[in-house]
């Protein structure tokens, strides 16, 4: 049996735009309305109506044995126009956080999860040199408003994904393919993280734990050739080292900088939030990056997103965090699948790797599964099913899947039993 440390947090992760519904004042909503941008033709629309149903959702999470919950605050609700704060919306999130506490769920609150207020996007979004100060002001305001009720603040979700998806792969708005803009965004996002950390620490008198949410990818070269190894190294530098070393040392390193110091950035993490789903196998390839991602082979297990299921990689990224000496919280891990048995197996096999990392000295303190319920999976739309809980069409009733009960049993026992290991653990 795999026993987890006392006080280990169990729960799920979500984000505002994916579950709340009617976030009409951000760049994603606008992009969805253009048509043709979301693969399955859906839009976020009313989403899961979590904006209205949050209390029922948290009651269900409590019933399902959770002790923590990660959500994000929608910046475009709080600051609908530059410099104007909407106190009604602040009040909404105050009630959300109160509800979490009432249901015994420790809040992990993300300040930015992919969505930008329209006014911010119209100024160039992350490519604008004003971006770090603008978002830091919002971060400080929010921390002040919610105060002691929030013990864990997370600054920016997956800083690596934002420049790549928005300015390189053209998969998130504004869907550009421009290396210069991508690197400008990467630079501003790293600096913004540091400023947000400082603003939250200053505004919150109760000493909250603050950190980034890093989407770390376990990177492997496609072969032993010098070209492939160099390409993998470059990919790893962008996805992992740039952020880890940047925050540890307070510098903007390659590929977005030359190692120059960013004042106030050094050491801006009390905790590290870690998101991980899969691995990437990288080979040398065409410009502009000189690399390409090798798709999983015919025998590999994959998800409906096409991502390879690779639990060993999840272990490796946790192990890589050990020298940084910070408490680690798994802030996302999960699978898009139409087969809930595949999800159950995924959970057990990935928890085995969390347990393994802990037993080797990585200070992992919680596991937040992505996601609580099926939701708006960005450019993929609602077609992708990441939830422990399905949503009934029409009524939006919550329908827990068997994986929700499997996760409940694990959370309640604070352990993965031998029986579950035997049934799902390969
Ligand atoms: C997370 O991102 C998100 O935080 C969450 O909102 C989402 O629902 C969940 O995972 C499931 O997808 O960046 O264009 O080069 C997932 C992270 C997305 C990171 C794809 C790597 C590679 C394509 N991954 N991305 S790109």
């Amino acid at each position: 049996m795999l026993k987890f440390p006392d006080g280990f947090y169990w729960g799920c992760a979500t984000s505002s735009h994916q579950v709340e519904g009617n976030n009409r004042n951000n760049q994603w909503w606008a992009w969805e309305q253009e048509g043709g941008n979301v693969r399955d033709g859906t839009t976020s629309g009313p989403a899961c109506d979590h904006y209205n149903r949050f209390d029922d959702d948290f009651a269900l999470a409590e019933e399902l044995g959770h002790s923590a919950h990660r959500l994000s605050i929608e910046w475009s609700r709080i600051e609908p126009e530059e410099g104007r704060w909407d106190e009604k919306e602040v009040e909404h999130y105050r009630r959300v956080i109160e509800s979490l506490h009432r249901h015994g769920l420790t809040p992990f609150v993300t300040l930015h999860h992919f969505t930008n207020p329209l006014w911010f996007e119209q100024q160039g979004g992350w490519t604008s040199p004003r971006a770090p100060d603008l978002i830091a002001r919002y971060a400080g305001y929010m921390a002040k408003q919610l105060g002691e009720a929030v013990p864990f603040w997370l600054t920016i979700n997956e800083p690596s994904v934002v420049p790549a998806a928005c300015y390189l792969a053209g998969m998130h708005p504004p869907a550009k393919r421009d290396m210069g803009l991508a690197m400008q965004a990467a630079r501003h996002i790293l600096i913004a993280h540091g400023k947000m950390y400082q603003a939250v620490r200053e505004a919150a008198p109760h000493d909250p734990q603050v950190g980034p949410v890093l989407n770390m990818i376990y990177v492997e070269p496609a072969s032993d050739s010098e070209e492939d190894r160099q390409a993998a190294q470059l990919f790893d530098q962008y996805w992992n080292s740039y952020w880890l070393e940047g925050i540890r040392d307070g510098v903007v390193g390659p590929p977005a900088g030359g190692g120059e110091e960013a004042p106030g950035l050094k050491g801006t993490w009390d905790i590290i939030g870690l998101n991980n789903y899969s691995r990437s196998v990288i080979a040398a390839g065409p410009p502009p990056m000189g690399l390409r991602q090798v798709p999983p082979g015919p025998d590999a297990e994959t998800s409906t997103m096409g991502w390879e299921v690779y639990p060993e990689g999840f272990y490796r990224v946790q192990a890589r965090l050990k020298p940084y000496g910070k408490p680690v919280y798994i802030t996302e891990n999960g699978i898009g699948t139409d087969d809930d048995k595949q999800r159950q197996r995924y959970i057990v096999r990935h928890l085995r790797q969390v347990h393994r990392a802990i037993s080797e000295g990585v200070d992992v303190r919680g596991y937040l599964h992505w996601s609580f319920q099926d939701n708006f999976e960005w450019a993929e739309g609602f077609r992708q099913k990441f939830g422990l809980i399905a949503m009934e069409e029409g009524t939006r009733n919550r329908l827990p899947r068997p994986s929700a009960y499997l996760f409940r049993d694990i959370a309640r026992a604070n352990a993965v039993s031998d029986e579950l290991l035997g049934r799902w653990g390969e």
Side-chain angles (χ1 to χ4, degrees):
M1 155 173 117
L2 306 177
K3 181 98 191 78
F4 284 78
D6 287 345
F8 194 80
Y9 287 110
W10 296 98
C12 283
T14 65
S15 89
S16 55
H17 192 70
Q18 293 178 273
V19 299
E20 284 181 351
N22 291 307
N23 279 315
R24 294 163 179 265
N25 194 27
N26 68 39
Q27 96 281 28
W28 264 93
W29 182 278
W31 197 63
E32 292 160 30
Q33 310 316 308
E34 286 172 15
N37 289 328
V38 178
R39 191 195 291 253
D40 66 0
T42 58
T43 58
S44 59
C48 308
D49 192 28
H50 177 76
Y51 188 83
N52 297 307
R53 302 185 192 207
F54 64 88
D55 194 59
D56 290 343
D57 283 338
F58 299 156
L60 181 54
E62 180 180 21
E63 250 172 70
L64 290 170
H66 301 192
S67 54
H69 189 79
R70 174 177 173 227
L71 54 78
S72 74
I73 289 176
E74 180 61 33
W75 181 12
S76 66
R77 289 189 188 271
I78 300 298
E79 191 176 0
E81 293 161 41
E82 185 176 343
R84 181 166 76 76
W85 309 108
D86 187 332
E87 280 167 28
K88 265 193 354 282
E89 296 290 357
V90 172
E91 195 44 42
H92 169 79
Y93 287 108
R94 215 173 259 135
R95 287 202 309 274
V96 168
I97 302 295
E98 269 167 27
S99 165
L100 284 174
H101 287 293
R102 211 171 336 105
H103 293 292
L105 302 164
T106 296
F108 286 73
V109 181
T110 316
L111 285 156
H112 183 278
H113 195 126
F114 293 174
T115 48
N116 297 333
L118 275 177
W119 61 263
F120 177 82
E121 189 74 0
Q122 278 153 7
Q123 295 182 25
W126 288 114
T127 65
S128 160
R130 295 186 69 212
D133 287 322
L134 289 169
I135 196 169
R137 183 177 60 176
Y138 148 71
Y141 174 79
M142 226 38 243
K144 193 167 190 135
Q145 296 303 313
L146 296 183
E148 302 204 345
V150 179
F152 296 100
W153 284 104
L154 302 162
T155 54
I156 298 171
N157 181 67
E158 300 187 340
S160 56
V161 170
V162 177
C166 301
Y167 296 104
L168 265 189
M171 286 170 51
H172 289 189
K176 300 241 160 88
R177 292 169 189 268
D178 180 322
M179 184 60 95
L181 290 178
M183 292 304 109
Q184 220 169 310
R187 186 185 178 80
H188 294 152
I189 290 171
L190 181 57
I191 292 168
H193 158 79
K195 293 198 173 199
M196 291 167 81
Y197 174 95
Q198 306 290 0
V200 171
R201 297 296 310 226
E202 231 164 81
H206 59 289
D207 213 19
Q209 301 281 292
V210 190
V213 172
L214 303 179
N215 170 69
M216 287 179 69
I217 300 183
Y218 178 57
V219 183
E220 276 184 309
S223 80
D224 269 345
S225 77
E226 189 52 29
E227 296 77 25
D228 286 352
R229 285 199 288 123
Q230 263 180 27
Q233 159 63 34
L234 177 65
F235 189 85
D236 187 82
Q237 171 66 29
Y238 173 73
W239 284 95
N240 301 315
S241 314
Y242 171 76
W243 309 96
L244 287 167
E245 289 165 19
I247 297 172
R248 181 192 60 197
D249 303 336
V251 298
V252 184
E260 58 277 14
E261 215 174 288
L265 174 62
K266 188 173 176 172
T268 49
W269 49 12
D270 309 312
I271 58 172
I272 300 175
L274 171 62
N275 293 0
N276 177 264
Y277 289 86
S278 184
R279 73 162 159 175
S280 291
V281 178
I282 300 298
M289 282 172 289
L291 58 83
R292 69 190 173 85
Q293 200 149 335
V294 181
D299 296 333
E301 182 189 344
T302 55
S303 71
T304 48
M305 297 286 283
W307 301 349
E308 184 184 4
V309 175
Y310 195 69
E312 175 71 21
F314 187 36
Y315 164 73
R316 297 292 183 101
V317 292
Q318 293 171 80
R320 182 163 169 182
L321 291 178
K322 189 174 170 181
Y324 295 89
K326 300 288 170 191
V328 174
Y329 293 86
I330 307 303
T331 36
E332 287 182 34
N333 173 245
I335 182 169
T337 180
D338 297 326
D339 172 6
D340 193 60
K341 290 202 166 69
Q342 189 187 19
R343 187 182 338 274
Q344 294 179 64
R345 192 165 63 242
Y346 185 99
I347 291 172
V348 170
R349 292 174 71 202
H350 283 74
L351 286 176
R352 192 196 272 287
Q353 301 306 327
V354 176
H355 190 271
R356 178 177 166 207
I358 294 171
S359 64
E360 289 175 19
V362 190
D363 187 8
V364 187
R365 300 192 183 180
Y367 175 90
L368 304 174
H369 186 76
W370 186 274
S371 187
F372 184 66
Q373 57 193 314
D374 293 344
N375 60 44
F376 182 66
E377 178 53 35
W378 306 110
E380 296 287 322
F382 282 99
R383 159 74 187 84
Q384 296 292 335
K385 312 290 185 198
F386 275 89
L388 297 178
I389 294 162
M391 195 165 60
E392 189 178 61
E393 233 173 289
T395 64
R396 294 200 162 71
N397 285 339
R398 285 21 178 177
L399 308 173
R401 297 192 165 107
S403 54
Y405 298 111
L406 168 120
F407 193 72
R408 176 196 63 189
D409 294 347
I410 293 170
R412 283 195 181 151
N414 199 31
V416 183
S417 68
D418 287 334
E419 202 245 307
L420 289 179
L421 287 170
R423 180 142 32 115
W424 303 110
E426 72 223 301

